[in-house]
Amino acid sequence: MKNKIKKLLISTLLIFSLFMITGCSIFDNLKRTIVNEIRNEYVEYDQNITVDDIEEALQKGSEIAKSCTIGVKIEAKNFISTTNASGSAVIIKKVENSDKTYTYTAITNRHVTGTLTSTERKVYLGNSVYVPATLVAYDDDYDLAILQFTTVFLLNVATIYTETPKVGSFAIAVGSPYDLEGFYNTVTIGAISEVNRKYLDEDIKGNEVVNSFIQHDAAINSGNSGGGLFDIYGRLIGINTWKISSNFNNDFVGLNFAIPSSEIINSFSKYL
């Protein structure tokens, strides 16, 4: 009997020692099981991705975006005076002509181009190069317009990406704010704030319309109108058209809006 008790005690001590050595116990296992039922959600990135990789992607995306964005210069004449204005545009189609020139189609804002036949329109390609442009179509409801121009220069064409971007994605804005030549094709980078922002506005005829916009916080200013909003891959996801601002204070910052690329397809599919 004593031997059985002794063996039982030795066995118990051995089992206890084993739990102590491995650093666990029955109670610990129970505790861990309970804790593991509470899951903390987080984004897990590939360990090989670095800040340099992200910067390189943004740099390449910006380079592509700039290569298909151009400036627009407007001279509106009447019997009394001439009004000069400027904006931006994005090339969306290229046709090679038999005389080794290229005819390009560019998308911009209707409020940039105007609609009067007496208005002189030119596109600016950088390096003091201006080319006459023709207004071929416009959409009053969504403030969009199509320009066409012909030149010997070989220019890049934007990839129109119509899938809805995700909130928090990088947004690259390209345009020529304030001074067409001085700040030609300025790049600003921000994030998508909202993908389907409804806004009640008036069209050019004063009619109330409700349109959907991509809201973002990549800085845009006067002259950016008609310029592109691109994703990190350099794909065109929208046309910058307006921002909320104030002449009296700086309360409104980063409230910028772009017409979704899907509207380019809806309005001007025959020009693509």
Side-chain angles (χ1 to χ4, degrees):
M1 183 68 178
K2 289 182 178 179
N3 288 335
K4 289 183 178 179
I5 294 173
K6 186 175 180 180
K7 289 180 179 180
L8 181 60
L9 288 172
I10 292 172
S11 299
T12 303
L13 288 172
L14 286 172
I15 293 171
F16 180 78
S17 299
L18 182 61
F19 278 120
M20 293 298 291
I21 291 171
T22 57
C24 62
S25 69
I26 295 173
F27 298 104
D28 283 338
N29 285 335
L30 178 60
K31 181 180 178 182
R32 289 176 186 176
T33 301
I34 293 172
V35 170
N36 285 340
E37 289 176 354
I38 303 173
R39 297 180 179 179
N40 295 320
E41 300 293 338
Y42 62 94
V43 179
E44 186 174 357
Y45 294 101
D46 188 328
Q47 293 181 354
N48 294 325
I49 293 178
T50 66
V51 172
D52 290 338
D53 295 327
I54 298 173
E55 282 194 334
E56 184 178 359
L58 286 170
Q59 289 163 3
K60 288 182 177 179
S62 298
E63 183 180 351
I64 293 169
K66 289 184 67 173
S67 70
C68 56
T69 304
I70 55 177
V72 178
K73 184 177 181 181
I74 303 298
E75 286 189 1
K77 301 177 180 179
N78 56 37
F79 294 107
I80 301 174
S81 62
T82 299
T83 302
N84 294 309
S86 65
S88 306
V90 181
I91 299 172
I92 56 174
K93 185 178 180 180
K94 176 187 69 179
V95 175
E96 186 173 358
N97 303 314
S98 58
D99 60 354
K100 296 184 179 180
T101 61
Y102 303 92
T103 296
Y104 295 95
T105 301
I107 186 81
T108 184
N109 285 143
R110 181 243 173 267
H111 77 257
V112 170
T113 64
T115 60
L116 297 177
T117 55
S118 60
T119 299
E120 182 180 347
R121 303 171 181 90
K122 296 179 180 179
V123 293
Y124 180 62
L125 308 181
N127 298 317
S128 301
V129 176
Y130 288 88
V131 178
T134 302
L135 176 67
V136 296
Y138 58 89
D139 181 342
D140 283 334
D141 289 341
Y142 242 118
D143 191 21
L144 288 172
I146 291 286
L147 291 174
Q148 286 184 343
F149 63 97
T150 300
T151 179
V152 296
F153 296 106
L154 183 60
L155 306 171
N156 285 336
V157 177
T159 297
I160 301 176
Y161 189 67
T162 58
E163 290 189 22
T164 304
K166 294 182 179 180
V167 172
S169 300
F170 281 108
I172 302 172
V174 182
S176 303
Y178 184 64
D179 176 44
L180 180 57
E181 294 192 22
F183 295 103
Y184 177 63
N185 274 8
T186 294
V187 172
T188 55
I189 296 174
I192 302 296
S193 307
E194 181 54 64
V195 296
N196 190 26
R197 183 67 72 196
K198 303 288 186 182
Y199 196 82
L200 176 64
D201 203 356
E202 288 187 356
D203 63 16
I204 200 69
K205 299 176 182 177
N207 301 315
E208 287 190 346
V209 291
V210 178
N211 288 326
S212 298
F213 298 92
I214 298 173
Q215 181 185 336
H216 65 91
D217 67 352
I220 59 173
N221 293 284
S222 177
N224 275 101
S225 291
L229 185 70
F230 301 85
D231 63 13
I232 195 172
Y233 304 101
R235 299 176 299 195
L236 181 67
I237 59 175
I239 296 296
N240 286 312
T241 185
W242 65 284
K243 63 182 288 187
I244 296 178
S245 62
S246 172
N247 294 327
F248 305 102
N249 55 53
N250 294 319
D251 290 343
F252 305 109
V253 177
L255 291 171
N256 310 316
F257 300 87
I259 303 166
S261 285
S262 57
E263 291 304 323
I264 300 174
I265 306 297
N266 293 339
S267 299
F268 303 120
S269 59
K270 71 177 183 178
Y271 295 101
L272 300 178

